[in-house]
């Protein structure tokens, strides 16, 4: 009869499981497994709650669709501001400053761009105090561009941050990626220099005219050429204003 069987064994006649410790452990394990997918994610694992917009992808440094409607509207806004800026009279300083502040991501004190200028978006360009940018400056700012304080940029300088896929069938989709550029404080960039995405130019460096900068340049060096390479360090022997008091 059933009375012969302890309560912690399977009742074979009834087909039911009784309350033994071993059985409780197994039941707990099954419960844990069944609720695995309902647990909240690990705090160090990011699970997106919604698909990223193309602008969010751009700002995250991912490939983004450059012909997306939101991206297109941002470019149109920039072009409208740029057109107004390039058409200003030389004495309209207040209006010029206003447009630059509206156009760029961040703007330092007393920085100035000689028109004409061109940006893709403007919002990805950040410039520090007392920096001067000469005419025909072009910044394709799909990637973030940081320009430090007291930076001199000569005429016809171009900064190209976008990178396109190498395979034509991927390139033709309109997707591209922005690679950041960082220019340190007190840098002098000569005329007609081209700077490619992913480059950092160290503090106090001087880039010779016509150079194409494809890799990082160390601080306080003179660098020239295509591709641009460090020529030598800048030292106290380069001091020129001996007879002028600071």
């Amino acid at each position: 009869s059933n009375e012969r069987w302890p309560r912690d064994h399977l009742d074979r006649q009834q087909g039911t499981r009784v309350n033994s410790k071993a059985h409780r452990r197994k039941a707990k394990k099954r419960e844990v497994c069944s609720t695995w997918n309902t647990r909240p994610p690990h705090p160090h694992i990011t699970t997106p709650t919604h698909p990223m917009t193309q602008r969010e992808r751009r700002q995250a440094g991912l490939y983004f669709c450059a012909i997306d409607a939101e991206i297109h509207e941002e470019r149109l806004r920039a072009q409208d501001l740029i057109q107004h800026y390039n058409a200003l009279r030389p004495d309209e300083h207040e209006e010029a400053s206003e447009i630059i502040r509206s156009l760029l991501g961040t703007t330092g004190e007393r920085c100035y761009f000689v028109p004409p200028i061109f940006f893709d978006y403007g919002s990805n360009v950040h410039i520090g105090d007392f920096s001067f940018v000469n005419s025909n400056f072009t910044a394709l700012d799909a990637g973030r561009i940081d320009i430090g304080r007291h930076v001199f940029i000569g005429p016809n300088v171009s900064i190209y941050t976008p990178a396109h896929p190498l395979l034509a069938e991927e390139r033709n989709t309109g997707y591209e990626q922005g690679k950041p550029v960082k220019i340190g404080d007190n840098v002098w960039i000569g005329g007609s220099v081209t700077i490619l995405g992913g480059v950092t130019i160290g503090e106090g460096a001087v880039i010779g005219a016509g150079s194409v900068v494809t890799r990082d340049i160390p601080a306080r060096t003179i660098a020239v050429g295509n591709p641009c390479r460090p020529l030598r360090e800048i030292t106290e022997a380069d001091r020129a204003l001996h007879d002028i008091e600071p």
Side-chain angles (χ1 to χ4, degrees), residues 200-218:
T200 294
I201 299 176
E203 185 270 332
V206 174
I207 309 298
S211 297
V212 178
V213 186
T214 62
R215 63 184 68 183
D216 292 353
I217 302 298

Side-chain angles (χ1 to χ4, degrees), residues 21-33:
K21 290 183 179 179
H23 294 147
R24 286 200 301 271
R25 284 197 298 269
K26 290 181 180 179
K28 184 65 176 177
K29 185 175 181 181
R30 286 196 300 271
E31 181 184 349
V32 169
C33 292

